[in-house]
Amino acid sequence: MVRAETATQNTMKVRKMASKHIIIIGAGAAGIRMGIQLREMGITSFQIVEKDDSVGGTWRDNTYPGVACDVPAQYYCYPFAPNTTVKNTFATGSQLWDYFQDIATRFEIDGHIRFGVEVTDAEWVAGRWKLTTTDGEILHADIVIGAVGRLRVPHYPVIEGLDDFGGPVVHSARWDKNLSLEGKRVGVIGNGSSAVQIISATVDSVGHLDVYQRTAQWVYPWKNKEIDPEELERARTSDSEAIRAYDRARDTFRALFEGIAAGADAEKRNAACVDALNSVKDPVLRAKLTPDYPVGCKRLVVSGTFYDAIQRPNVSVVTERIARVEREGIRMADGALRPLDIIVLATGFHADSYLRPMRVTGEDGMTLDDIWSDVFLNYNSIALPFMPNFFMVNGPFSPGGSISIIEIIETHVNYVARLIDRVVRDHVEIAPKIERSEKFVHDARERAKKTIWYTGGCSSWYLDANGVPLVNPLTSTQLEELMRDVVFSDFNVRPAQVEVAT
Ligand code: NA7
């Protein structure tokens, strides 16, 4: 096993840490990674509270047919714990769920987790955080880390009559494992990454598939190939080979997608998408599937199977506007009724939820809603003004879309670890200065306005209510650069109000 690199190797420096209690909210990829980091720092006085009954976050929640990660498996893993078990380019959702469960056990995180504990409120009271759970339990912590994930809260479309439908209605992120699509007339609303995976995985077994497409999507045709078994074996038996495999997969991914936001290196990427689209033989269908915005404006869908699936005779791409849902099916704006047995809502997530619906109240009674009423004020996506000793992983203006989320988590966790080190070592309270937070947000927004996400003229989950990206168009190298050094002068640092327990 490759050892985790940590920001704080010197355990002498952190001798007071046992006296600080830390609560991490969420046992997904970010929460587990934060726990590993704390243990590496010699901190064991932490607890991870998880609302559900197992670890794994998004890979526990998303169990729809065909669910897979479209970042190569050899790269979508912690760099110190390479995934050497997945045999194909892309891991399935359940393989990733297994991976994170295994990590939690191997790195002795399991014992720190309390399952079935959902935090509704976090309040800063006299120098400590007071957390309230859905059960009314009160928890106290000196430091809190929100590791709640990003695409977490499902977006349910507002469509008249949806509740009146005679059959099952299921959201892609809340799949019913007992639901069989075999031989059924299935309507999939949406055609993003989740829908495309569902369509490819179910086209052979459903009776008929209606794909209700509001906006055509670009699809990058990356085939899910088997990894050379000899290469896999080498990675399994040698740490250095495993790291090499990780590096190769990372470099391939970066070369393909890292330039998307800036519109860089677009020629090959665009040509691959256009070629894939041109594999659609029927000109009418091809026209329906042709986007009217540039490649990369929306999060690029990755699929080596979609165009084959969508051309099957039992699939209809429906572009007419949905008027309402009725007991028998979906009524279109042109008056036609499309009879259905099952409706699948592959309609995405509220990508701007972040910590919410949890309520957070910091100094001077300032709430999360107060500081996020205009823009999502925060510092480096990991800290919030007015919220001392409260940190986030993957907060607003984190990069995304064309970087592996695991790599972002790695960088954020290392940064947060250095703040925690300071809090514990010097027994202080620490929160970012308002003006430095404003500068971070201003810079991120201005940078984002130069990207294809903004200039491309499409709508997507990248954008806030004003149409400005909430996603930071940083490459992984730029993110590392931004977060290499903790600039403590950007923070208000003052002695802790609470005595150090000895
Ligand atoms: P996405 O990418 O947000 O896609 C949601 C899809 O649902 C998209 O095609 C939307 O159309 C469609 N949608 C949403 N609301 C409606 C309504 N009311 N009517 C019709 N169609 C609707 O979510 P995914 O779950 O596929 O993927 C999320 C991310 O997960 C993905 O980007 C990867 O990073 C992994 P629209 O394009 O808005 O017209």
Side-chain angles (χ1 to χ4, degrees):
M1 185 184 304
V2 188
R3 197 181 145 76
E5 273 181 37
T6 61
T8 311
Q9 302 287 355
N10 185 349
T11 48
M12 288 304 287
K13 277 199 233 159
V14 295
R15 63 189 180 282
K16 282 180 186 166
M17 284 193 169
S19 60
K20 293 274 183 200
H21 185 56
I22 300 174
I23 292 183
I24 300 168
I25 304 173
I32 293 171
R33 180 63 187 91
M34 194 72 233
I36 294 172
Q37 185 79 9
L38 293 179
R39 285 186 65 95
E40 279 282 315
M41 293 162 74
I43 302 175
T44 51
S45 58
F46 71 91
Q47 196 166 59
I48 304 180
V49 293
E50 164 58 53
K51 67 176 168 38
D52 225 294
D53 59 2
S54 69
V55 304
T58 199
W59 304 112
R60 175 203 58 221
D61 290 346
N62 284 270
T63 60
Y64 59 78
V67 59
C69 180
D70 60 13
V71 175
Q74 289 179 318
Y75 172 41
Y76 192 91
C77 51
Y78 304 125
F80 56 86
N83 191 335
T84 56
T85 56
V86 174
K87 295 193 171 72
N88 286 72
T89 310
F90 301 109
T92 64
S94 71
Q95 286 171 333
L96 291 173
W97 192 20
D98 288 347
Y99 171 81
F100 289 109
Q101 291 183 95
D102 175 53
I103 292 282
T105 305
R106 268 203 279 155
F107 287 83
E108 298 177 38
I109 300 303
D110 280 344
H112 291 273
I113 307 174
R114 276 187 65 200
F115 292 108
V117 180
E118 182 170 2
V119 178
T120 57
D121 289 85
E123 195 183 351
W124 178 249
V125 183
R128 293 196 93 195
W129 284 98
K130 176 186 160 197
L131 308 185
T132 309
T133 73
T134 45
D135 290 342
E137 187 183 358
I138 304 291
L139 307 168
H140 291 282
D142 301 296
I143 298 168
V144 173
I145 301 139
V148 297
R150 183 123 142 231
L151 297 179
R152 182 187 83 256
V153 180
H155 166 250
Y156 287 87
V158 180
I159 301 176
E160 187 193 329
L162 198 53
D163 293 341
D164 303 332
F165 183 60
V169 177
V170 62
H171 191 283
S172 56
R174 294 291 178 272
W175 199 257
D176 174 356
K177 286 178 192 147
N178 299 316
L179 184 67
S180 167
L181 306 189
E182 189 84 34
K184 299 279 178 14
R185 295 168 303 178
V186 179
V188 176
I189 300 182
N191 61 328
S193 302
S194 302
V196 160
Q197 292 181 343
I198 293 170
I199 293 162
S200 298
T202 61
V203 70
D204 286 333
S205 59
V206 295
H208 189 88
L209 199 57
D210 268 1
V211 178
Y212 296 90
Q213 174 191 286
R214 192 164 63 178
T215 318
Q217 298 257 9
W218 286 109
V219 179
Y220 184 84
W222 196 342
K223 295 255 185 266
N224 189 15
K225 291 199 184 123
E226 196 189 338
I227 300 170
D228 174 8
E230 283 180 21
E231 182 201 321
L232 210 54
E233 187 53 26
R234 280 198 299 276
R236 210 174 280 144
T237 51
S238 151
D239 281 354
S240 58
E241 284 294 331
I243 290 170
R244 255 195 287 280
Y246 174 91
D247 288 349
R248 269 198 306 273
R250 179 199 59 205
D251 293 348
T252 304
F253 186 85
R254 284 183 181 176
L256 282 172
F257 298 129
E258 213 168 47
I260 282 187
D265 310 318
E267 218 167 286
K268 264 171 77 176
R269 194 169 50 239
N270 294 356
C273 292
V274 171
D275 282 356
L277 176 65
N278 285 338
S279 70
V280 177
K281 295 187 182 72
D282 173 6
V284 176
L285 177 59
R286 195 166 62 240
K288 278 186 184 176
L289 295 172
T290 304
D292 61 359
Y293 55 84
V295 173
C297 182
K298 283 174 182 283
R299 170 39 161 92
L300 193 52
V301 175
V302 175
S303 172
T305 49
F306 173 70
Y307 287 117
D308 174 43
I310 207 78
Q311 293 184 78
R312 301 293 182 83
N314 64 335
V315 179
S316 306
V317 175
V318 184
T319 52
E320 183 68 30
R321 197 174 60 77
I322 294 172
R324 62 182 174 274
V325 174
E326 298 178 4
R327 195 177 159 70
E328 305 299 327
I330 294 185
R331 178 77 63 185
M332 310 311 299
D334 64 7
L337 176 74
R338 300 197 64 91
L340 294 170
D341 302 311
I342 296 169
I343 294 178
V344 174
L345 306 174
T347 45
F349 300 86
H350 291 281
D352 60 354
S353 297
Y354 300 106
L355 299 164
R356 300 171 298 184
M358 184 169 72
R359 289 177 291 269
V360 185
T361 309
E363 291 177 296
D364 306 328
M366 287 295 275
T367 66
L368 203 54
D369 286 344
D370 290 333
I371 63 172
W372 284 356
S373 62
D374 180 18
V375 288
F376 285 79
L377 190 63
N378 78 93
Y379 179 81
N380 277 0
S381 311
I382 51 85
L384 297 155
F386 301 102
M387 311 291 175
N389 299 357
F390 189 109
F391 307 116
M392 301 176 285
V393 182
N394 231 325
F397 304 105
S398 292
S402 34
I403 311 186
S404 159
I405 203 89
I406 306 295
E407 208 173 337
I408 299 165
I409 288 170
E410 198 63 25
T411 309
H412 282 183
V413 164
N414 273 292
Y415 191 100
V416 169
R418 283 172 280 167
L419 295 174
I420 292 175
D421 175 47
R422 177 81 193 270
V423 168
V424 174
R425 189 158 39 89
D426 293 349
H427 193 48
V428 293
E429 295 171 2
I430 186 166
K433 291 177 179 167
I434 299 171
E435 63 276 16
R436 302 311 295 170
S437 303
E438 284 170 345
K439 176 162 178 12
F440 166 71
V441 169
H442 174 267
D443 289 353
R445 282 166 63 89
E446 289 308 306
R447 199 181 294 122
K449 285 181 186 169
K450 298 191 183 91
T451 65
I452 200 160
W453 305 334
Y454 184 74
T455 59
C458 68
S459 73
S460 77
W461 63 259
Y462 288 164
L463 307 179
D464 69 12
N466 300 313
V468 180
L470 272 167
V471 177
N472 207 329
L474 296 172
T475 62
S476 31
T477 314
Q478 289 168 329
L479 177 69
E480 276 165 27
E481 180 68 26
L482 174 77
M483 304 194 80
R484 178 163 299 133
D485 302 311
V486 177
V487 182
F488 281 105
S489 57
D490 284 357
F491 290 83
N492 291 315
V493 182
R494 57 170 189 237
Q497 299 168 53
V498 180
E499 286 293 305
V500 183
T502 50

